[in-house]
Amino acid sequence: MSSLVIIKTGDAFPEVVDAHGDFEQLFIRQLREALPETLTLSVWDARDAVPAEPAAAYAGVIITGSHSMVSEAPPWSEALKPWLRQALADEVPMLGVCYGHQLMAAAFDGISDYHPAGRESGTHAVRLTRAGQEDPLFGQLPACFPAHLTHAQSVMQLPPDTTILAHNSHDAHQALRYGARQWSVQFHPEFTAPVMRAYLERQKAALRDQGDDPEALLLGVGDTPEASSLLRRFLAFV
């Protein structure tokens, strides 16, 4: 039976884990109902070691978010880059999320670093580019849809031969495609509204320090069914 591997790159805040589950559990919860009988889910913590199996041994790969920073080059993160490059060369279906998005871009010769405008947190509108509207994964989404976001770093320079699929007023690179079945997104399709609120509660002081209104951001949190549907749609390419 084929396996879709979730590569875990970090832990959510303890209060989020206690109330809602850790990053990998949020993905599993979203994917489980749509998972075909021929596919299983497995989890590999990249902080322990690079996956023992080559990427081509998996039906697909999902890379989670993290509180680490790609630009700070944690050794475990750097060790994962050649594995991701081989996954791309082998045309293994991949979906990177937040840290996974930034790590994929950096692995493929782009640059991920701190965003000069600071942190983006909350539920915000994301817009598809023309390429996004024609993309096999994104093309069935509305041209503009809400998504949950929490990140201080972004993809600041695109890798070669990368297509921008979505953007918003904060980040020009909200979604990218690297090959026929390799995508990454800055937003969190696995987050629910309660998870997003928990993140905003934790970040209140940092958000105030950069001039944001955390109470307004909390009021703006809503459901993101279109963004969440990407995880289930991804299964069609695995």
Side-chain angles (χ1 to χ4, degrees):
M1 188 173 288
S2 299
S3 177
L4 170 61
V5 64
I6 298 171
I7 297 182
K8 177 182 171 70
T9 64
D11 297 305
F13 292 125
E15 66 271 23
V16 174
V17 174
D18 290 345
H20 308 288
D22 210 341
F23 288 134
E24 71 277 15
Q25 294 163 319
L26 299 177
F27 280 99
I28 291 168
R29 198 171 295 134
Q30 293 278 4
L31 290 165
R32 192 160 35 204
E33 292 182 4
L35 201 68
E37 293 181 0
T38 56
L39 195 64
T40 62
L41 292 172
S42 58
V43 178
W44 193 286
D45 195 324
R47 298 167 300 177
D48 295 334
V50 174
E53 299 288 342
Y58 296 102
V61 177
I62 291 176
I63 310 159
T64 75
S66 176
H67 297 165
S68 298
M69 298 296 168
V70 170
S71 70
E72 294 174 3
W76 59 264
S77 184
E78 293 297 293
L80 190 56
K81 286 181 176 180
W83 194 92
L84 294 175
R85 286 193 285 269
Q86 189 60 51
L88 179 63
D90 290 340
E91 300 183 348
V92 178
M94 285 192 287
L95 179 66
V97 172
C98 196
Y99 188 92
H101 166 73
Q102 298 159 18
L103 178 59
M104 284 176 68
F108 305 151
D109 296 325
I111 296 174
S112 295
D113 208 338
Y114 287 96
H115 196 292
R119 174 175 295 279
E120 180 183 34
S121 288
T123 307
H124 298 287
V126 172
R127 295 184 179 276
L128 295 181
T129 62
R130 182 175 296 277
Q133 294 174 41
E134 297 171 354
D135 182 76
L137 177 61
F138 284 78
Q140 296 183 46
L141 298 181
C144 182
F145 57 91
H148 298 314
L149 289 133
T150 173
H151 64 112
Q153 296 205 333
S154 294
V155 177
M156 302 306 297
Q157 182 176 310
L158 292 178
D161 304 317
T162 299
T163 303
I164 303 171
L165 302 179
H167 62 99
N168 70 359
S169 58
H170 179 89
D171 197 325
H173 307 139
Q174 285 285 351
L176 302 173
R177 185 180 69 238
Y178 308 94
R181 297 186 298 169
Q182 296 82 30
W183 297 272
S184 67
V185 296
Q186 183 57 70
F187 55 88
H188 284 273
E190 81 283 14
F191 272 24
T192 61
V195 172
M196 187 71 257
R197 290 190 190 98
Y199 262 79
L200 288 170
E201 289 287 352
R202 169 62 83 104
Q203 296 167 347
K204 276 184 174 180
L207 290 166
R208 286 196 190 97
D209 287 346
Q210 70 175 28
D212 288 333
D213 182 349
E215 299 304 331
L217 291 170
L218 280 163
L219 286 172
V221 173
D223 293 328
T224 59
E226 297 90 355
S228 295
S229 74
L230 279 175
L231 292 177
R232 296 183 292 277
R233 293 180 191 277
F234 177 67
L235 292 174
F237 299 91
V238 172

